[in-house]
Amino acid sequence: MNLNLLFKDLKRNFKSFLGGTVSVVIFICITIGIYSSMKDSMEMITELYATLPKSIMEALNFGENQWNTMLGFYATYFVYYVPLIGGIFAYYLGGRLLASEEQNKTAEFLLSRPLSRNTVVATRLLVYTIYIVVFNILVYVTGLISCGLASDWEYSIPNLTILHLYGLMFCLFIGYIGFLISVFMKKARSSLMIGIAIVMGSYVFDMVIRITDQVQFLSYLTPFKYMNIDAISPDYKLDVWRILVLTGVSLILISLSFLRYRRKDILI
């Protein structure tokens, strides 16, 4: 790790981090505000949704009596807060970090310094991890306080915490995909569109599988399978196997990024 490069990249990517974080925080405040203003009508809305086919309800992450509780409502929109918006931001940041020197035509900065390519990758992995962890902490705190104020703190804080731990692992995983893809791409902007396609495509694919109810085994190919957002379930807990899968694949992605970057021809 190189401290000069670390602080340089933290400063360079701060605006992107701030923009992504503020967007999600505002979205959370707006949706929780809607819940607060419609709290008395939620039971009727829940009954209306209950008339939908069960497969459609599962695809929309909507369970029985889901919106009768603050946490159930929050869990429904959590998919948009973290996996979708947060996942796209994570991919953008992960992909941009390794490709930034080539995109900005400043690769000579790295090549003229006594920095090994392993040091470059390790430092930028740390930058990415710092920003994604802080992003998820701020989103978690926002959700924690917003849900508390809207429900007089009548919800399960441990379940909310577990929900956000899944979100953190999901974001880290998506960003590591961005790291790997970026070392094969010549322009960071090109890889951004791939990132959006990966996150949104995985989400739509997961929804289709839930609706069809025929090829459920294919759901294991999407990262959404490794998030349990049924936060109002009495048996809700952190499933170790889901975390182990995401962690294992993430380590493989990181290793491949190191190997590929060491062999890559850096454009000046």
Side-chain angles (χ1 to χ4, degrees):
M1 187 190 72
N2 182 275
L3 288 178
N4 289 331
L5 184 60
L6 175 70
F7 292 126
K8 172 177 175 287
D9 279 335
L10 284 173
K11 181 179 179 181
R12 172 188 288 175
N13 293 281
F14 180 74
K15 288 184 179 180
S16 298
F17 159 76
L18 188 63
T21 304
V22 170
S23 298
V24 176
V25 167
I26 291 175
F27 186 29
I28 292 174
C29 293
I30 290 174
T31 51
I32 299 302
I34 292 174
Y35 176 86
S36 298
S37 63
M38 300 179 63
K39 189 183 300 184
D40 296 334
S41 306
M42 282 301 167
E43 185 173 346
M44 182 176 64
I45 296 174
T46 299
E47 291 176 356
L48 179 63
Y49 271 101
T51 61
L52 295 173
K54 185 176 180 181
S55 59
I56 299 293
M57 291 178 63
E58 290 181 357
L60 296 174
N61 301 305
F62 193 90
E64 187 177 354
N65 300 322
Q66 181 90 3
W67 284 6
N68 289 349
T69 64
M70 177 71 259
L71 186 58
F73 180 87
Y74 184 83
T76 300
Y77 282 92
F78 178 78
V79 174
Y80 307 104
Y81 300 150
V82 178
L84 292 183
I85 300 177
I88 291 172
F89 165 67
Y91 184 95
Y92 169 75
L93 182 61
R96 183 186 182 196
L97 280 166
L98 278 184
S100 59
E101 301 301 342
E102 293 179 87
Q103 182 184 4
N104 298 326
K105 305 299 183 182
T106 57
E108 67 271 16
F109 169 81
L110 295 181
L111 300 180
S112 64
R113 299 294 194 276
L115 299 176
S116 69
R117 295 196 180 194
N118 282 347
T119 299
V120 172
V121 177
T123 302
R124 286 180 168 163
L125 275 172
L126 180 58
V127 172
Y128 168 75
T129 303
I130 289 172
Y131 271 139
I132 293 304
V133 169
V134 174
F135 166 82
N136 277 273
I137 289 175
L138 293 176
V139 171
Y140 166 68
V141 171
T142 302
L144 185 74
I145 296 174
S146 298
C147 289
L149 294 176
S151 66
D152 294 326
W153 301 96
E154 294 180 356
Y155 73 97
S156 174
I157 293 178
N159 284 17
L160 181 74
T161 303
I162 292 172
L163 186 66
H164 276 273
L165 284 174
Y166 282 123
L168 171 62
M169 294 302 301
F170 182 95
C171 287
L172 289 172
F173 171 76
I174 293 297
Y176 295 143
I177 294 177
F179 256 88
L180 180 60
I181 291 180
S182 70
V183 299
F184 288 93
M185 305 292 291
K186 293 184 178 180
K187 294 182 179 179
R189 291 179 182 175
S190 301
S191 65
L192 175 60
M193 298 307 299
I194 297 176
I196 295 175
I198 288 174
V199 176
M200 296 303 299
S202 297
Y203 177 65
V204 173
F205 184 61
D206 182 70
M207 286 185 63
V208 171
I209 291 174
R210 292 189 187 191
I211 293 173
T212 58
D213 201 30
Q214 297 294 324
V215 286
Q216 291 296 309
F217 67 93
L218 291 177
S219 64
Y220 288 93
L221 299 178
T222 75
F224 288 92
K225 176 65 177 180
Y226 305 99
M227 290 182 58
N228 182 1
I229 62 172
D230 188 16
I232 61 174
S233 170
D235 301 322
Y236 189 65
K237 64 182 185 301
L238 190 66
D239 295 322
V240 177
W241 70 269
R242 300 178 194 264
I243 301 301
L244 288 177
V245 170
L246 287 178
T247 301
V249 178
S250 294
L251 290 175
I252 292 173
L253 293 171
I254 291 172
S255 299
L256 292 175
S257 297
F258 270 97
L259 292 173
R260 171 59 185 170
Y261 196 75
R262 289 172 60 182
R263 300 177 180 181
K264 183 180 180 181
D265 293 328
I266 298 180
L267 301 178
I268 300 176

